[in-house]
Amino acid sequence: MKKKLLALLLTLVMVLGLAACGGKKDDGGNQTSGGDQTQTGGDTSGGSETSTLPMGYDPTTNTEAYGPYYDEWSDMTDEQLYEQALTENTTINVYATSSKMLKEKELFEEAYPGLTLEVSDLDSDEVLNKAKTEKDTGNITGDVLQTKDVNGNVFYEWYHQGVIEPFYPRDICSHISEENLKFSFPLYASQAYWYYNTAAFPDGQPISSWWNIIEKNPDGSQKYRLFTKEIGQETAYLSLFASFVANADQMEQAYKDLYGEDLEYTYDGSVFSFPVPENNAGVEYMWRFTQCDMTFIGGGDELVQAVHNSTADDPALCLASAGKIENREESGYTIDWCKKLTPYTALLNTESLYVVSGTDSPAGARLFIRFVTGGVDGQSGGLKPFTKTGNWPLRDDFEDKKNPATLEELGAIPNDLDDIYSIYLDVQDMWLYWKMN
């Protein structure tokens, strides 16, 4: 919460400073108002430089502001953007966290002759820090960022630092659920699932709830051997546990529905220097989970292999990325996803696309974002490198032939970064303390 408030205060300082200067001028010399979220010059074709206050805060109402966020770029067609892109710096630099982005170069350059695409394959921290360094030094080279925001860091901090700005093409957004547009413009969604051994459980998955995962046998022994990555070092997994804390009422109801009785609270929050909510079912679940014996394995292939090697007499579950289901065909593993867990199976972690603030290829950057997400009708070819088992494109007009189940069938929900960001650090502290003590 402190980080969130600090980010908002920084934005207020920026807004007040802008107002004190009577606004700012764009390249055309036009005066702009410090109160408008989108400030442009007289040219509404998209050719003028646009100064955009960070999405996430609306200074005119002193409230949070979310996507979809539409401006003059949002209604420009591929043809209009292409025509303008040819008059800009025609080399478009993409900083990406997925190596699959490298496959876009040939596809994009073939579709739009005269434009050059350069892709840097980096990890998430490198993507963001590289863009931040360029902004601070005034030597902006990047044009598009592709990264994942699972705990709100990108939304609440990088927008507010003015490193990136949103782009929401209106025609494409009409094919994406608005709940998946709240914090960014998504490329695709992925998530982690619990896996079980189909040979050990031929009648179907042995669990229906997250509470089943930590059950004990009548003799007090743990019912399932648990395999996972080190959750305390995995931002996406910690964000999932933070969502349980935020959705405590759902966790409590899931327990009562499963066992027919009210949840008993056993955790002690007094050991922490920050306030821990009382009688919170998400906190209770995390406390009980940290007390389980579990084996940490860094590689997803090894995680699902451990489940494949388990038996009905010694059953195991593992938490791994959805894409590891491919080991079923490639390696003959007897594994499957656990679906429709209560209160929900997983969080949708979206890989998102952002425009770098200050880019000298503003139209080219947006043209590429449109291309890689399928273009006006989903058929640009740009989505092809990212369509694989374990990745779910979020457009309703794009046929997903790679996945054996839809997101609706799996029971994943959108990630509400508001809830996660304000408690993420506290959840991390609780996890680490309880797991080590």
Side-chain angles (χ1 to χ4, degrees):
M1 182 66 74
K2 291 180 180 179
K3 293 171 68 180
K4 181 175 177 180
L5 291 174
L6 177 60
L8 297 181
L9 287 172
L10 289 173
T11 302
L12 280 172
V13 171
M14 180 183 71
V15 172
L16 292 173
L18 183 59
C21 295
K24 63 180 289 184
K25 292 186 177 182
D26 61 16
D27 285 348
N30 299 301
Q31 196 77 18
T32 60
S33 167
D36 296 334
Q37 263 205 302
T38 302
Q39 304 146 4
T40 65
D43 179 6
T44 59
S45 67
S48 62
E49 181 179 339
T50 301
S51 174
T52 307
L53 291 178
M55 188 173 72
Y57 179 73
D58 183 354
T60 62
T61 60
N62 198 35
T63 59
E64 304 287 4
Y66 305 101
Y69 175 101
Y70 297 122
D71 57 17
E72 76 278 7
W73 295 102
S74 300
D75 294 309
M76 292 183 69
T77 65
D78 294 327
E79 292 74 17
Q80 290 172 322
L81 289 170
Y82 181 34
E83 181 180 359
Q84 182 170 324
L86 291 172
T87 68
E88 305 170 345
N89 185 337
T90 55
T91 297
I92 301 163
N93 289 291
V94 179
Y95 298 159
T97 59
S98 172
S99 60
K100 292 179 176 60
M101 191 67 77
L102 296 168
K103 298 179 180 179
E104 296 291 338
K105 179 176 175 63
E106 183 177 352
L107 296 171
F108 182 74
E109 291 178 355
E110 181 179 352
Y112 295 104
L115 299 181
T116 301
L117 189 71
E118 298 295 339
V119 178
S120 299
D121 180 16
L122 309 166
D123 66 30
S124 183
D125 287 340
E126 288 176 320
V127 163
L128 294 168
N129 291 332
K130 186 173 176 63
K132 178 66 164 58
T133 298
E134 290 181 5
K135 176 185 181 296
D136 291 343
T137 61
N139 183 27
I140 297 174
T141 302
D143 304 298
V144 176
L145 299 188
Q146 175 255 314
T147 191
K148 184 183 297 182
D149 187 13
V150 295
N151 66 351
N153 178 63
V154 176
F155 181 76
Y156 279 109
E157 297 179 26
W158 295 88
Y159 273 130
H160 284 278
Q161 294 180 33
V163 177
I164 55 177
E165 58 189 64
F167 171 53
Y168 285 99
R170 197 187 304 266
D171 52 357
I172 298 177
C173 288
S174 69
H175 293 287
I176 301 174
S177 171
E178 190 160 307
E179 62 185 357
N180 289 317
L181 296 169
K182 184 176 180 179
F183 300 101
S184 63
F185 182 62
L187 174 57
Y188 65 86
S190 63
Q191 51 278 315
Y193 289 109
W194 285 99
Y195 287 77
Y196 73 100
N197 187 315
T198 54
F201 299 96
D203 295 331
Q205 65 189 58
I207 61 174
S208 63
S209 172
W210 274 81
W211 291 103
N212 289 134
I213 297 166
I214 58 175
E215 284 181 341
K216 296 185 181 301
N217 293 311
D219 64 0
S221 62
Q222 196 168 299
K223 191 170 185 178
Y224 302 103
R225 285 191 296 135
L226 302 180
F227 296 87
T228 178
K229 293 183 178 180
E230 167 52 275
I231 292 175
Q233 299 176 8
E234 293 288 325
T235 305
Y237 292 174
L238 283 173
S239 295
L240 178 59
F241 277 85
S243 78
F244 293 152
V245 176
N247 296 318
D249 56 338
Q250 296 182 46
M251 289 295 289
E252 187 175 51
Q253 187 62 50
Y255 183 93
K256 189 167 186 176
D257 291 343
L258 183 64
Y259 299 113
E261 59 186 36
D262 291 334
L263 174 65
E264 179 184 358
Y265 293 95
T266 61
Y267 66 89
D268 178 11
S270 66
V271 297
F272 300 102
S273 61
F274 50 85
V276 175
E278 296 182 0
N279 295 341
N280 181 289
V283 176
E284 178 67 26
Y285 184 83
M286 183 166 60
W287 155 246
R288 296 189 187 189
F289 194 98
T290 59
Q291 302 312 295
C292 293
D293 292 330
M294 62 191 77
T295 302
F296 296 133
I297 301 176
D301 293 327
E302 290 76 17
L303 284 167
V304 293
Q305 184 180 29
V307 169
H308 169 69
N309 291 336
S310 66
T311 65
D313 293 331
D314 187 20
L317 302 170
C318 82
L319 183 61
S321 64
K324 296 307 174 182
I325 196 71
E326 291 184 328
N327 280 284
R328 190 165 55 183
E329 301 297 329
E330 295 174 357
S331 304
Y333 289 176
T334 53
I335 56 173
D336 200 1
W337 297 320
C338 293
K339 307 169 187 176
K340 288 288 185 181
L341 300 183
T342 59
Y344 44 86
T345 308
L347 295 181
L348 292 181
N349 296 319
T350 57
E351 291 287 352
S352 297
L353 296 159
Y354 309 89
V355 175
V356 176
S357 298
T359 170
D360 58 2
S361 302
R366 290 167 172 84
L367 177 64
F368 174 72
I369 289 176
R370 288 181 58 88
F371 175 81
V372 75
T373 52
V376 63
D377 57 2
Q379 302 302 311
S380 71
L383 267 173
K384 184 177 180 180
F386 296 98
T387 52
K388 63 179 291 290
T389 304
N391 290 353
W392 281 265
L394 295 175
R395 294 182 62 141
D396 62 14
D397 61 343
F398 184 85
E399 186 179 4
D400 180 7
K401 298 180 180 179
K402 297 288 186 179
N403 286 296
T406 66
L407 289 174
E408 291 73 20
E409 292 169 335
L410 295 169
I413 66 168
N415 188 342
D416 193 331
L417 299 180
D418 271 341
D419 293 336
I420 305 301
Y421 184 77
S422 62
I423 60 175
Y424 176 82
L425 293 178
D426 291 348
V427 167
Q428 185 177 43
D429 286 346
M430 286 189 286
W431 173 274
L432 294 174
Y433 179 85
W434 279 335
K435 193 59 191 169
M436 293 187 297
N437 291 278

